[in-house]
């Protein structure tokens, strides 16, 4: 059987030769371009020397270390380029003139619209995030603007103007502002947190290229998008390209024909000599297989591989009643989960993974070994998995009987009377404790959400799916984009910049905290456009001093000042976790420490009062002010937040006064 293998290799190299010879031929436009420190990119981007090969030419590619630039507005505006992503068709550019004006606090920064290249039949250019400013002359403005508009009066002295804006742009201006000149400028996400345009107008912005349907179909068909001299689109399939395709088809046919002919001839030669021997060998194998099945137990049952318990597929099939749909506990991003009962009476949850690619079985088993070593009272225990010989990939976990936190907040198990405030903060602390243990073990969960927080009959937390992101870092995702996670819980910085850190789990945990406070879902399409996600809704309510509107009425904070103080403190902590820039978020260890202090706040206060009555304690002036201050709205001060049981103060006001470096806060 050696000769056919050689024949297969001959055919493979023959085919490879034809493909390589075809790809080495000259073409009108290169498939990709190299541009110094920007690396490799392709259509719709191109270089200055091949400007007809794309929609946007990058200049300066011939010098590795030189500043790369693009030209907008018919070549009159030049912008430095900091990053290109051809797959997502985005380019990061910087407006140096706008940057200089912003750094000098010059109101000239708001004089002119940002201008993009004009649309073409190949596609159009868009800025990822913009805002419209209404520059109203103070002497001419006759009607007060709507309440939802914010105003900035910092340009009143130099230009006699008040600048009005709202965080959500609209196509039609308010009637009262219709007469004011409008300027559209790029903005950073700080727009939701600041009333000062100098803090959220950004000189560095993201330009996205949206290809036209004709161009996309042309590219999918192997053509090249072009625009002729009259400005009309056409799909370039030149004679050279057509000849190449015909040559490729011919070579493929010849290659397949020659290879198949040689293979058939070789098989015919060896068939007679090997026929009888193969027949005898097959009979022997069948007989041995029958004897093994009759006299030997399942080879996988009770085995260990690298210290990991191995379950046979049949054992798990029997435990779940052949994966009966009535035993199905639910579906997740990685697979379906079934209830099962093993022969030793252990109740288990069997996860049937969607992707069972065994290209790296040894690596998979090593990862499972790591996960089985993780032992924490608030993590679901991984009992084992199926072997590499199994035709299905199954993971076996301990069974948690009381369902998910999501089901108790809003699902079929929802009962607000059971979710008292002590129970909710206990759930938050135990979840944070599990995440802190994972981070200390070098594992980022990447999918922290209420559906992955299980509860036992005593409402003790068991965090699930904590290792699957480690086993499948790239192949499995809840969403079609590169970042992995669930909408509503996904870290914005991870989503837009593809930078995953343990602070991504902190952001998701901040959403969980807000769910515990409000019982609202992380995503609700029935809410206003800018408040669909609970994170955005919470940030807006906090900014407007409307936090109490988020609090679950069942907590009855209006009648229990102690619970009210703790709910507000947890809301303040969630606010810190939901910061857009991950450097502004606390670590999960800090979050856990703060939650524990909040939970023990009442006990500490009682001890302090007893000591005061006995003359054994002195309350500082600052502490006395904190205890006396009524809780009417949320204000924030990160420095004080992590010194609970005091109450934080004035974070939003500090941002509005410019004391926080917004450029660093929202830098990409």
């Amino acid at each position: 059987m050696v000769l056919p293998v050689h024949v297969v290799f001959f055919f493979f190299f023959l085919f490879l030769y034809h493909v390589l010879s075809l790809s080495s031929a000259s073409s009108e436009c290169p498939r990709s371009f190299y541009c110094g420190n920007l690396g490799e990119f392709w259509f719709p981007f191109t270089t200055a020397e091949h400007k007809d090969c794309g929609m946007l030419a990058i200049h300066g590619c011939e010098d590795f270390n030189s500043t790369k630039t693009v030209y907008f507005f018919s070549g009159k505006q030049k912008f430095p380029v900091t990053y290109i992503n051809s797959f997502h068709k985005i380019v990061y550019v910087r407006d140096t003139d706008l940057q200089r004006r912003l750094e000098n606090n010059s109101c000239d920064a708001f004089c002119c619209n940002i201008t993009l290249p004009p649309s073409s039949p190949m596609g159009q250019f868009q800025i990822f995030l913009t805002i419209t400013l209404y520059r109203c002359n103070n002497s001419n403005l006759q009607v007060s603007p709507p309440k939802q508009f914010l105003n900035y009066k910092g340009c009143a002295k130099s230009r006699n103007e008040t600048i009005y804006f709202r965080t959500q742009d609209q196509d039609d201006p308010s009637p009262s502002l219709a007469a004011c000149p409008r300027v559209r400028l790029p903005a950073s996400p700080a727009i939701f947190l600041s009333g000062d345009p100098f803090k959220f107008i950004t000189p560095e912005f993201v330009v996205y290229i949206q290809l036209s349907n004709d161009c996309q179909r042309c590219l999918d068909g192997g053509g090249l998008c072009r625009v002729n001299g009259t400005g009309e689109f056409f799909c370039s399939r030149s004679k050279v390209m057509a000849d190449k395709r015909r040559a490729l088809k011919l070579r493929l046919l010849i290659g397949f024909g020659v290879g198949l002919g040689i293979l058939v001839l070789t098989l015919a030669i060896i068939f007679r000599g090997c026929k009888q021997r193969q027949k005898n060998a097959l009979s022997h194998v069948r007989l041995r297989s029958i004897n093994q099945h009759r006299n030997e137990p399942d080879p996988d049952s009770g085995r260990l591989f690298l210290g990991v318990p191995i379950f046979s597929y049949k054992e798990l099939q029997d435990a779940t009643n052949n994966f009966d749909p009535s035993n199905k506990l639910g579906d997740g991003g990685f697979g379906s989960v079934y209830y099962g009962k093993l022969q030793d009476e252990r109740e288990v949850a069997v996860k049937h993974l969607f992707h069972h690619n065994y290209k790296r079985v040894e690596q998979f088993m090593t990862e499972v070994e790591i996960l089985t070593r993780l032992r924490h009272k608030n993590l679901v225990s991984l009992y084992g998995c199926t072997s590499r010989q199994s035709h299905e990939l199954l993971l076996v976990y301990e069974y948690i009987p009381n369902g998910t936190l999501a089901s108790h907040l809003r699902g079929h198990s929802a009962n607000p009377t059971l979710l008292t405030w002590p129970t909710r903060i206990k759930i938050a602390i135990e979840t944070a404790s599990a995440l802190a243990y994972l981070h200390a073990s070098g594992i980022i969960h990447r999918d922290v959400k209420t559906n992955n927080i299980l509860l036992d009959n005593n409402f003790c937390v068991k965090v699930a799916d904590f290792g699957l992101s480690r086993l499948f870092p790239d192949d499995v995702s809840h969403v079609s984009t590169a970042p992995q996670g669930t909408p509503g819980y996904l870290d914005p910085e991870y989503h837009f910049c593809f930078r995953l850190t343990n602070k991504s789990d902190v952001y998701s945990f901040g959403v969980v905290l807000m769910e515990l406070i409000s019982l609202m879902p992380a995503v609700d399409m029935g809410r206003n456009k800018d408040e669909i996600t609970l994170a955005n809704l919470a940030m807006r309510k906090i900014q407007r001093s409307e936090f109490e509107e988020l609090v679950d009425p069942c907590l009855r904070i209006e009648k229990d000042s102690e619970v009210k103080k703790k709910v507000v403190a947890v809301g303040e902590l969630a606010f810190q976790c939901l910061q857009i820039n991950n450097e502004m978020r606390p670590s999960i260890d800090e979050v856990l420490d703060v939650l524990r202090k909040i939970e023990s706040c009442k006990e500490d206060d009682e001890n302090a009062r007893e000591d005061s009555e006995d003359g054994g304690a002195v309350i500082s002036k600052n502490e006395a002010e904190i205890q006396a201050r009524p809780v009417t709205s949320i204000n924030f001060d990160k420095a004080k937040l992590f010194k609970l049981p005091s109450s934080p103060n004035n974070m939003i006001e500090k941002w509005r006064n410019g004391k926080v470096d917004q450029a660093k806060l929202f830098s990409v």
Side-chain angles (χ1 to χ4, degrees):
M1 296 298 291
V2 176
L3 185 58
V5 175
H6 288 170
V7 172
V8 172
F9 274 103
F10 167 78
F11 167 70
F12 172 78
F13 285 114
L14 179 64
F15 171 77
L16 185 62
Y17 165 77
H18 288 308
V19 173
L20 291 177
S21 63
L22 179 63
S23 62
S24 63
S26 61
S27 60
E28 294 179 347
C29 289
R31 292 181 60 85
S32 62
F33 308 91
Y34 288 89
C35 189
N37 53 5
L38 291 181
E40 183 183 15
F41 56 81
W42 53 90
F43 185 88
F45 304 104
T46 182
T47 59
E49 58 182 320
H50 297 91
K51 61 180 180 179
D52 293 331
C53 293
M55 291 181 61
L56 187 63
I58 312 298
H59 295 258
C61 291
E62 62 279 357
D63 186 353
F64 184 89
N65 293 315
S66 67
T67 300
K68 312 304 183 290
T69 59
V70 293
Y71 289 86
F72 290 171
F73 192 50
S74 302
K76 295 180 180 180
Q77 280 185 287
K78 181 174 71 173
F79 296 98
V81 176
T82 58
Y83 175 72
I84 290 179
N85 187 318
S86 299
F87 181 78
H88 291 92
K89 302 177 183 63
I90 59 175
V91 56
Y92 285 67
V93 299
R94 186 172 65 254
D95 187 335
T96 53
D97 290 338
L98 179 59
Q99 182 178 13
R100 174 177 50 79
R101 292 168 182 166
L102 291 173
E103 290 174 350
N104 294 331
N105 287 326
S106 171
C107 290
D108 290 339
F110 315 128
C111 69
C112 306
N113 288 305
I114 193 71
T115 306
L116 291 175
S119 300
S120 80
M122 289 191 289
Q124 60 182 351
F125 296 83
Q126 299 175 354
I127 298 179
F128 176 71
L129 181 61
T130 62
I131 187 170
T132 299
L133 304 180
Y134 297 85
R135 298 170 41 234
C136 299
N137 187 288
N138 292 330
S139 59
N140 296 334
L141 185 62
Q142 301 298 327
V143 182
S144 299
K147 293 182 179 180
Q148 65 267 32
F149 277 77
L150 303 179
N151 66 80
Y152 174 72
K153 300 181 179 180
C155 295
K157 292 183 179 180
S158 60
R159 306 178 69 97
N160 194 30
E161 288 180 345
T162 298
I163 297 177
Y164 293 88
F165 61 91
R166 57 178 296 170
T167 55
Q168 177 187 353
D169 275 334
Q170 57 184 14
D171 295 334
D172 298 324
S174 169
S176 59
L177 300 176
C180 299
R182 284 183 289 171
V183 177
R184 198 169 187 84
L185 292 171
S188 74
I191 185 175
F192 300 109
L193 304 173
S194 175
D196 185 355
F198 283 102
K199 298 299 185 295
F200 61 74
I201 297 300
T202 175
E204 186 172 25
F205 53 94
V206 181
V207 177
Y208 169 67
I209 299 178
Q210 176 67 52
L211 298 181
S212 66
N213 293 334
D214 290 338
C215 182
Q216 189 62 59
R217 284 193 294 268
C218 177
L219 293 176
D220 294 342
L224 299 173
C225 298
R226 291 289 183 271
V227 176
N228 60 23
T230 61
E232 296 177 344
F233 174 82
F234 71 96
C235 187
S236 174
R237 292 186 174 91
S238 63
K239 184 177 183 300
V240 175
M241 295 178 63
D243 291 342
K244 289 177 184 177
R245 287 195 295 271
R246 284 194 293 269
L248 177 60
K249 291 180 181 179
L250 180 60
R251 289 169 181 168
L252 286 175
L253 289 175
I254 294 175
F256 275 114
V258 172
L260 183 61
I262 295 176
L263 182 61
V264 171
L265 180 61
T266 304
L267 291 176
I269 293 174
I270 64 174
F271 180 74
R272 282 188 184 179
C274 297
K275 182 177 180 180
Q276 188 62 40
R277 185 173 61 183
Q278 289 175 347
K279 183 177 179 180
N280 294 338
L282 182 60
S283 299
H284 177 70
V285 169
R286 287 176 177 172
L287 181 60
R288 184 175 61 182
S289 176
I290 292 173
N291 291 334
Q292 286 178 342
H293 281 287
R294 287 178 176 177
N295 302 321
E296 296 181 6
D298 191 324
D300 286 335
S301 181
R303 277 199 314 119
L304 295 177
F305 180 76
L306 297 176
V308 179
I310 298 297
F311 292 87
S312 70
Y313 179 81
K314 184 178 185 306
E315 181 180 4
L316 299 180
Q317 192 177 30
D318 293 341
T320 59
N321 193 19
N322 198 24
F323 299 98
D324 190 332
S326 63
N327 286 331
K328 192 173 185 178
L329 300 175
D331 292 307
F334 297 101
S336 300
V337 184
Y338 295 85
Y339 169 79
K341 196 168 187 177
L342 301 177
Q343 293 179 355
D344 58 8
E345 299 300 317
R346 280 186 298 172
E347 292 183 298
V348 293
V350 180
K351 175 155 287 190
H352 188 289
L353 295 180
F354 293 147
H355 290 245
H356 44 273
N357 190 330
Y358 285 101
K359 290 187 295 185
R360 295 185 178 180
V361 175
E362 297 293 336
Q363 179 184 0
F364 169 79
M365 297 301 294
T366 302
E367 297 287 3
V368 173
E369 180 192 17
I370 293 173
L371 299 182
T372 54
R373 291 178 180 176
L374 295 177
R375 289 288 184 268
H376 190 277
K377 65 178 182 178
N378 299 122
L379 290 179
V380 173
S381 296
L382 177 65
Y383 289 159
C385 62
T386 50
S387 73
R388 52 185 170 179
Q389 285 81 24
S390 174
H391 63 283
E392 296 289 350
L393 186 55
L394 305 172
L395 298 174
V396 184
Y397 294 93
E398 67 171 315
Y399 172 64
I400 309 300
N402 204 15
T404 66
L405 175 58
S407 67
H408 285 276
L409 292 176
R410 295 173 300 275
H412 61 277
S413 302
N415 187 348
T417 60
L418 296 178
L419 286 178
T420 62
W421 177 249
T423 299
R424 299 189 199 195
I425 197 168
K426 171 178 173 290
I427 291 171
I429 290 173
E430 292 182 355
T431 303
S433 176
L435 294 177
Y437 176 79
L438 289 177
H439 289 186
S441 304
I443 295 178
I444 301 174
H445 192 292
R446 283 210 279 191
D447 201 15
V448 178
K449 58 182 179 179
T450 51
N451 275 317
N452 282 337
I453 300 173
L454 307 181
L455 301 173
D456 66 13
N457 291 325
N458 296 319
F459 283 87
C460 293
V461 165
K462 293 285 187 176
V463 175
D465 278 4
F466 53 86
L468 293 183
S469 60
R470 180 182 177 94
L471 292 175
F472 295 97
D474 298 314
D475 298 334
V476 181
S477 172
H478 286 284
V479 292
S480 59
T481 55
Q484 173 183 308
T486 301
Y489 298 89
L490 188 61
D491 175 9
E493 187 164 287
Y494 177 32
H495 179 68
F496 292 120
C497 306
F498 310 103
R499 296 174 182 171
L500 176 70
T501 69
N502 52 17
K503 296 294 185 70
S504 299
D505 282 350
V506 173
Y507 182 91
S508 304
F509 182 70
V511 179
V512 172
L513 288 179
M514 289 309 306
E515 288 186 80
L516 286 169
I517 290 173
S518 67
L519 293 190
M520 296 180 181
V523 175
D524 186 351
M525 301 304 294
R527 294 195 287 250
N528 292 335
K529 179 180 178 181
D530 292 330
E531 298 176 349
I532 289 176
T533 65
L534 180 59
N536 279 355
L537 174 62
M539 298 295 274
R540 286 173 173 270
K541 291 292 186 183
I542 290 170
Q543 186 180 12
R544 298 169 183 167
S545 299
E546 299 171 351
F547 172 74
E548 292 182 15
E549 295 180 8
L550 294 173
V551 180
D552 176 17
C554 294
L555 293 178
R556 304 175 68 84
I557 61 173
E558 71 280 358
K559 295 185 178 180
D560 191 331
S561 60
E562 196 65 40
V563 170
K564 182 175 183 178
K565 182 168 63 175
K566 292 185 177 183
V567 170
V568 170
V570 174
E572 295 167 342
L573 178 61
F575 177 85
Q576 293 295 333
C577 295
L578 294 174
Q579 296 304 306
I580 294 177
N581 184 279
N582 63 22
E583 293 181 0
M584 295 294 294
R585 303 171 200 155
S587 68
I588 196 64
D589 289 325
E590 292 174 310
V591 171
L592 177 59
D593 183 55
V594 172
L595 286 172
R596 286 171 173 166
K597 288 180 179 179
I598 294 173
E599 184 186 36
S600 62
C601 180
K602 181 177 180 180
E603 180 181 349
D604 291 345
D605 289 347
E606 290 176 352
N607 292 337
R609 283 195 296 269
E610 290 175 1
D611 291 341
S612 179
E613 292 173 358
D614 296 338
V618 178
I619 301 177
S620 68
K621 180 180 179 181
N622 185 50
E623 290 174 338
E625 291 176 353
I626 292 169
Q627 292 177 6
R629 184 169 63 242
V631 183
T632 57
S633 63
I634 289 191
N635 296 309
F636 301 92
D637 187 329
K638 186 176 181 180
K640 292 181 180 179
L641 176 59
F642 295 105
K643 294 180 182 178
L644 283 176
S646 65
S647 179
N649 189 31
N650 295 333
M651 174 63 83
I652 290 179
E653 193 62 35
K654 289 174 65 177
W655 281 340
R656 289 177 173 169
N657 292 333
K659 296 180 181 179
V660 175
D661 187 349
Q662 295 288 345
K664 180 179 179 182
L665 177 61
F666 295 100
S667 61
V668 180

